Amino acid sequence: MGMLFVCAATTLTGCSDSALDPDPLSFFEPTTTFSTESGLSAALAQADRNLKLYYTTASDVLLPVATEFLFSDMLVVAATDKQAGIYDIANDLIPSSGYLSASDDGTHMHSIMHFWNENYAGIKYANTIIGYAPKVTTLDEATRNAYIGRAYFHRAFRYYALVHQFGDVPLITKLLEVPKQSYKSTKREAILEMIEADMKQAVEWVPDQEIGKYTNEYPGGYVNKAACRFLLAKILMAEGKFNDAKQQLDILINNSGFALMTEPFGEDVQPAGGNNDEKTWTIKRNVIWDMHRGENVYNTANKELILGIPNSGENLVGYTIMRCMSPFVFNNAIKSPSGKQALQNYNRRNGNWRAATDYQRVIGRGVASFRPCTWAQYGLWDITTNTAYSESIDRGDLRRSEEYGNWMHMENLKYNDPTDTEWYGKPLQKFDDKGNLLCNDTIRRWYDIPLYKFYYLDAVQEANLSSDGFRGAQKGSKGDLYLYRLAEAYLLRAEANYYLGDITAATKDVNIIRQRAHCDQLYEKVDIDDIFDERARELYLEEWRHVELVRASFDLAISGKPDKAGNTYTLSKLTQESGTEKTGGSFWYQRCITKNFYNDGITKNVTANKNAINYRIDKKNMFWPIPDEARTSNKDAELHQNYGYPGYDASVQVFSNWQDAVADEDVI
């Protein structure tokens, strides 16, 4: 297919984690490699395994999925020592800033180019299966169709992401024997039309997987009929076909055998710190904690799992979530009132180590690449006012429960230097008695964490008594993840009902999720913002937050429904506006500027390597720029650049239907 992208075409996987890639030379002899079922199975397994690379990579400080939350209402870059960090998105995000290598992933602090590469890598694997499955004569019809149906899922999954991250993108549906460097972009709506048809076929062809039954012949990571149905529903939502989407979700929720988990189940996994007599942090067992343990994703009792991502054993890619997302606390930037370092990360051989305050084995040795905004920590958890510093937090909500141990405030931690005799064992303070700030960088070092989402037993470090660097799931750990689970289906159906005008049904679906979480506060009547608030609570670091907010931006424009503030949106303006003023833009933009630190171009003063950070985002940033590497390597034609970025040209040809794009693939 030629060098369309940095890693694209016949060597598209060149920028993926090498440990997961098959020999790229095999793709130069596809007739030999994929003439048997084992070849097809290998390509499918690669597509399955690579789903985890949207959530984690080999990087120690960067999680790709965090980029989806960075471009949303919830997270910002917190690494204040990174001079080129993407804080001022409005001005700093340009087409040439997307590429990250192993040496600079801690500088830009986003994964835009990674998403571009991984999406097209997955499309390549899918196209390989789709193209060669009909030629494998040993397959019966049902088996052949199942391979193709699963490949349709993988291709549609990637294109659903691409058209909501980048907008109009090249449509590639086949492997070419002759290099091509003249691709053109295809309209978002046309690509959605094609993958809708593919997924309807996949729902018919891909078999069910018996819930809770995971065998060597049918491992949990294989795509199943329910996952195909869920993706089809998302595509239908993206097209504004709300009733059709609701019908698919009704089947998924009511007639597919899944059920929300409401009671504790599976392994009782407690944080590693301490011992049986004196633990650093104790979890009062509850369903929310159990459900998010890597050990329990594929537990046979888990009826909520629709499709997971196996990440353990020899194929594990380190999920260093505690390293990336926990506050950077183990240095002298936080002090006790006596002037000593507040928190020490003693290893278990150190004479000052105490079982009761071994926090690095609970929250990890964090570097805070990203942090939540104030609203995500406080206002989100009060449905009555929903203001940034709300005082009336829903105390019953297990997802934010200090009582059960799922949620951790900085004040829950205790000074742990036993030589600091006056303060050892007392709760951390942000200020001393005279009002002096005891933390010199509150962006990076002082914020709450949802421990139930962050904690993974780090088996590598746990086995090493001299370790002071716990990070998350590494080799020997269970790092399994969710891709789709039933809770999201309820929230997506609530959204469909909102657009259809059935507010009663929408409210019921949201409250079902809240009741499972033991919330004291329930909704009387939901709007679109309430639904996305609940997604934020339930699906933090699971959903692709930016993708879903962009998709909803189109849905609001199609339906004509207002958001909570009464704003209505039109399709003609969604992708044709730029600027940082508070009016206009999309639903995505309004959420970013009303909830996140981007709201006023706030200057956050910190005493670190940067004296100040300006957090800003622009209306144009709803779509990420098409990377320069992709446009320049496609030297014989122009790819459409998104509005507001350097290189935008409204006259560039874009295919308005997918059939023309497919026909053009054969034009070299």
Side-chain angles (χ1 to χ4, degrees), residues 95 628 631 638-650 652:
D628 273 352
R631 300 179 74 234
E638 284 286 326
L639 295 182
H640 171 74
Q641 181 57 276
N642 287 313
Y643 179 85
Y645 295 105
Y648 170 75
D649 182 349
V652 170

Side-chain angles (χ1 to χ4, degrees), residues 1 114 150 169 180 203 243 318 357 365 400 404 438 493 521:
M1 293 192 298
H114 177 84
R150 291 192 176 104
V169 297
K180 179 180 175 69
V203 169
N243 193 59
T357 54
R365 189 174 181 177
R400 200 187 184 280
Y404 282 80
L438 296 172
R493 188 172 69 174
Q521 302 173 0

Side-chain angles (χ1 to χ4, degrees), residues 40 94 98 124 147 205 210 236 484 537 548 570-571 579 639:
L40 296 180
I94 56 177
K124 182 192 70 174
Y147 272 108
W205 284 346
E210 187 176 353
L236 292 167
Y484 295 150
R537 300 178 193 108
E548 295 303 320
T570 58
L571 287 172
L639 295 182

Side-chain angles (χ1 to χ4, degrees), residues 494 497 502-512 523-527:
N497 281 320
D502 191 345
I503 306 304
T504 299
T507 304
K508 180 179 179 181
D509 277 343
V510 174
N511 280 338
I512 285 172
Y523 285 105
E524 294 183 3
K525 182 173 69 173
V526 297
D527 54 40

Side-chain angles (χ1 to χ4, degrees), residues 548-557 569 574 586-588 622:
E548 295 303 320
L549 282 168
V550 172
R551 190 260 310 149
S553 296
F554 281 92
D555 287 342
L556 284 171
Y569 304 91
L574 283 186
S586 61
F587 176 64
W588 166 85
M622 184 180 80

Side-chain angles (χ1 to χ4, degrees), residues 117-314:
N117 289 335
E118 285 303 323
N119 281 327
Y120 277 105
I123 288 166
K124 182 192 70 174
Y125 292 124
N127 286 341
T128 300
I129 298 164
I130 293 165
Y132 282 92
K135 302 174 184 178
V136 179
T137 58
T138 58
L139 299 178
D140 60 53
E141 183 178 8
T143 303
R144 181 182 301 110
N145 287 345
Y147 272 108
I148 295 172
R150 291 192 176 104
Y152 280 160
F153 173 91
H154 281 292
R155 188 168 71 181
F157 180 88
R158 272 73 174 189
Y159 274 121
Y160 177 82
L162 281 167
V163 300
H164 293 109
Q165 291 172 329
F166 296 95
D168 301 338
V169 297
L171 179 63
I172 305 174
T173 67
K174 61 187 72 172
L175 296 172
L176 300 182
E177 296 179 1
V178 179
K180 179 180 175 69
Q181 296 176 307
S182 59
Y183 284 95
K184 301 179 181 69
S185 302
T186 300
K187 295 293 290 183
R188 166 188 174 273
E189 294 77 10
I191 293 175
L192 288 171
E193 180 185 344
M194 187 196 80
I195 62 176
E196 177 199 337
D198 287 348
M199 290 314 299
K200 285 180 175 177
Q201 198 70 75
V203 169
E204 179 181 341
W205 284 346
V206 174
D208 280 313
Q209 179 173 354
E210 187 176 353
I211 298 170
K213 300 295 184 182
Y214 309 113
T215 66
N216 290 334
E217 292 74 27
Y218 205 139
Y222 270 25
V223 172
N224 54 56
K225 184 184 294 292
C228 293
R229 192 181 302 282
F230 199 5
L231 180 54
L232 173 59
K234 287 189 172 219
I235 295 165
L236 292 167
M237 288 287 288
E239 295 177 290
K241 298 178 180 179
F242 308 124
N243 193 59
D244 291 346
K246 180 183 178 301
Q247 290 176 10
Q248 295 298 326
L249 293 164
D250 285 343
I251 295 171
L252 191 62
I253 294 169
N254 301 329
N255 304 112
S256 298
F258 299 99
L260 293 176
M261 300 304 295
T262 58
E263 299 294 336
F265 71 97
E267 294 187 35
D268 182 9
V269 180
Q270 293 285 326
N275 54 44
N276 291 332
D277 298 320
E278 192 176 19
K279 294 190 72 66
T280 308
W281 192 265
T282 300
I283 298 298
K284 183 179 177 181
R285 196 165 187 194
N286 64 91
V287 64
I288 297 298
W289 178 270
D290 284 352
M291 185 166 59
H292 291 284
R293 305 285 53 80
E295 292 82 355
N296 291 337
V297 171
Y298 282 109
N299 188 281
T300 57
N302 189 352
K303 307 302 182 186
E304 189 161 336
L305 173 66
I306 294 173
L307 182 64
I309 306 174
N311 188 31
S312 57
E314 64 180 18

